[in-house]
Structure formats: structure tokens, C-alpha cells
Amino acid sequence: MTETTASLLRRVLLLPSVLVVLGAGCYGCKKDEAPPPLPVATEAAPTPPPTVTLAPPPLPEDAGDEADAKKVVTGGGGSSLRACCAALRSNAASMPPPNNAYALAAAAYCDSAVASGQDRNAIVQGVRSALRGANMPGACR
């Protein structure tokens, strides 16, 4: 016999013994049993707490005054946050991607929110969420 024939003969004889060993190992496996049944609740479910509706407080008589309306609309966003918007744009140039795109989006949001006269805290929160974890400039804090 040549060496290749002997090698082939060993492989042919080894294959059935490997199959027998693998088959015997799985023969002792148990079949999956059904899980135990879920417990049945014997008590009634608790009732949800009653909902409470709060009425808004009454408006003062001079609520229609034009000076008060201007105070509510401006909200203090103004020119102090314009520096924040500019800082966001300038910082975007030195940030790696994707943070530079987040900073540009935050700057665009900042510009539109300042122009519409939103509250300073609302603008800062919007900028923070638009940055998605990127560093916020000091002018925005």
C-alpha cells in the first residue's frame, strides 16, 4: 500500500467510530420539558389612583397690558446668546466628525431660537440636546 492509500484507509475507518461516539453522547440527552404553569393571581388587581385635574390660576386684570406681553415674549434669550451661536459655529471648524455636524446643527437651532425670542433656558437646553454630548462652548452656559 502507498502512503496516500493508508491515509485514506485510516480516515475511512476513523469516521464510523467518531460518529458512534457522537451519537452515544447525544443519546443520553433529555428532551426539553414543558415549563411549569404560571401562578394564577387570587387577589383582585389594585385600583389605580384617581386622576386630579388642576385648574390654571386666574389671570390678573391687567394681563392684557402690552408691556407685560413683551416681557413674556422676549424671555431674556437676546443678544447674550448670539455669542453662543457664534461660538458654536467657530468651534465646529475644529471639531472632528460627527461632532462638527452636531455643532453646526446646534448653531442653526440657536440662531432661529434667538430670532424667535425663546426663553434663555429653553435655548440652552435645545442647544445641549442638539450637540449630542459634544462640548458646549462657555458662552452658552
Side-chain angles (χ1 to χ4, degrees):
M1 271 202 292
T2 64
E3 188 172 325
T4 57
T5 308
S7 174
L8 182 64
L9 184 60
R10 275 188 231 131
R11 288 183 186 165
V12 169
L13 294 176
L14 184 62
L15 181 64
S17 61
V18 169
L19 292 176
V20 168
V21 170
L22 289 177
C26 290
Y27 181 73
C29 296
K30 293 183 179 180
K31 301 226 185 248
D32 291 334
E33 296 178 4
L38 295 175
V40 178
T42 56
E43 296 180 19
T47 58
T51 57
V52 178
T53 305
L54 299 175
L59 295 174
E61 290 182 22
D62 63 355
D65 190 10
E66 190 173 316
D68 290 339
K70 285 184 180 178
K71 288 180 186 176
V72 171
V73 171
T74 58
S79 63
S80 65
L81 284 178
R82 291 187 198 281
C84 171
C85 303
L88 284 167
R89 263 190 297 292
S90 66
N91 287 357
S94 63
M95 290 181 167
N99 290 347
N100 61 350
Y102 299 153
L104 289 174
Y109 167 77
C110 182
D111 287 332
S112 66
V114 168
S116 69
Q118 289 185 10
D119 180 53
R120 177 178 172 75
N121 292 333
I123 294 172
V124 170
Q125 287 296 329
V127 166
R128 184 172 288 130
S129 65
L131 284 174
R132 297 184 185 185
N135 291 333
M136 183 181 280
C140 299
R141 295 182 184 156

